[in-house]
Amino acid sequence: MIEPTLLEFANYNQWANQQLLIICAPLNEALLTAIIPGSVGSITATFGHILRAELGFLERINGRFPNPDFDWNENPTLTQMAAYSTQLSAAFLSTLKQVSSTQNVHEENEVWLFNYQARLVFMSLIYHGISHRTDITTFLTSQGIDLPELDVWGYEEAFPDRFNAKLIRKGE
């Protein structure tokens, strides 16, 4: 049985990725390709980095991941990356349902052996996504672009029933 908070974190990660991809899709090429200081590159490059990392996380846990319908070397569009993000999210949710968070993950190469629990990868999915989405949102805000809340409170507002959330204003 999957722990509900872990499931919500994975759902939140996908929701936040999709919301930011939707926000960025109509931006002009100059904004999409501008280098974001202190980050992995441009908005487009950052989304590619996020998705390739998610692919790598899946590979570490179960050796399987969906292949994109595009070639990374041909500079995929944000629309292509959004579709691939949906595939990765579905694969991650399936993995969460099949792999215990305390299951051992084993990695090795010619230099080292590394054993750890799968929850380290699950945590990495969330942390990594938040970190790089913050790079993008900070840059967009510095460009004068107003953004909706993409944090967990924005997620709760989008899905109040998932949290049994009811806001009652006193005096009304």
Side-chain angles (χ1 to χ4, degrees):
M1 179 82 168
I2 186 171
E3 201 282 321
T5 303
L6 185 56
L7 179 62
E8 282 306 328
F9 268 125
N11 284 325
Y12 161 73
N13 186 69
Q14 172 60 9
W15 172 83
N17 280 346
Q18 288 297 317
Q19 294 302 302
L20 194 51
L21 282 159
I22 289 166
I23 290 164
C24 291
L27 297 177
N28 67 46
E29 192 66 20
L31 276 176
L32 293 175
T33 58
I35 300 301
I36 302 170
S39 75
V40 298
S42 67
I43 290 172
T44 305
T46 301
F47 275 120
H49 173 78
I50 290 169
L51 297 180
R52 282 188 292 256
E54 289 183 11
L55 179 155
F57 296 150
L58 280 170
E59 185 175 31
R60 286 176 172 186
I61 286 189
N62 61 23
R64 298 183 315 273
F65 53 88
N67 287 312
D69 294 335
F70 54 81
D71 182 339
W72 286 108
N73 296 321
E74 294 178 6
N75 300 318
T77 66
L78 293 182
T79 301
Q80 289 172 306
M81 286 193 259
Y84 186 53
S85 177
T86 299
Q87 291 179 299
L88 283 171
S89 178
F92 234 104
L93 290 173
S94 176
T95 298
L96 285 171
K97 292 173 185 173
Q98 296 170 15
V99 175
S100 164
S101 62
T102 57
Q103 177 177 309
N104 184 62
V105 175
H106 174 80
E107 293 184 55
E108 71 179 83
N109 65 23
E110 58 281 344
V111 179
W112 49 258
L113 300 171
F114 188 28
N115 291 296
Y116 53 91
Q117 293 180 336
R119 65 181 163 176
L120 183 60
V121 173
F122 299 153
M123 291 170 64
S124 295
L125 170 75
I126 308 311
Y127 170 77
H128 188 259
I130 290 170
S131 176
H132 290 300
R133 284 189 303 270
T134 299
D135 292 340
I136 294 171
T137 58
T138 300
F139 172 71
L140 291 175
T141 301
S142 78
Q143 299 301 305
I145 297 172
D146 288 326
L147 300 172
E149 292 294 326
L150 296 178
D151 62 6
V152 295
W153 294 104
Y155 178 69
E156 176 278 324
E157 190 173 313
F159 303 101
D161 292 345
R162 290 186 181 173
F163 301 94
N164 196 24
K166 293 176 182 73
L167 177 64
I168 300 168
R169 297 196 187 277
K170 294 181 179 181
E172 289 183 10

